[in-house]
Amino acid sequence: PKSVKLKTSFAEYNLLFTFKDNKLSIVREFRILEDVVAPEKFAEMKDFFEKVLNADGLQIGFKKLTP
């Protein structure tokens, strides 16, 4: 899957996928940048958290390769 990077003035979210030496590594980071979010930023905050939930809900499938 593709990595996901989201950033707003109040929070950051990163979901990083790397595949190296036949190993999959997944790193998820969430940072709160502001403790209080102004009411006028509610729509932006809602959109941000919907995107975070979608990214967290990604499913990964594995396929066995036969020689």
Side-chain angles (χ1 to χ4, degrees):
K2 293 183 180 179
S3 294
V4 177
K5 293 185 179 201
L6 304 170
K7 184 170 181 168
T8 65
S9 62
F10 49 83
E12 289 180 358
Y13 173 83
N14 294 310
L15 180 59
L16 307 170
F17 297 96
T18 54
F19 191 75
K20 185 177 180 183
D21 298 329
N22 228 12
K23 293 181 183 180
L24 176 64
S25 176
I26 304 169
V27 176
R28 183 178 0 180
E29 299 174 321
F30 181 81
R31 291 189 181 120
I32 296 174
L33 304 174
E34 291 181 18
D35 292 334
V36 178
V37 179
E40 57 270 11
K41 290 187 178 181
F42 177 77
E44 181 184 2
M45 183 177 71
K46 182 180 178 213
D47 182 58
F48 173 80
F49 280 106
E50 285 175 354
K51 290 177 181 175
V52 168
L53 287 173
N54 286 335
D56 274 354
L58 288 176
Q59 294 186 7
I60 300 170
F62 293 94
K63 183 178 178 180
K64 184 176 181 177
L65 299 176
T66 54

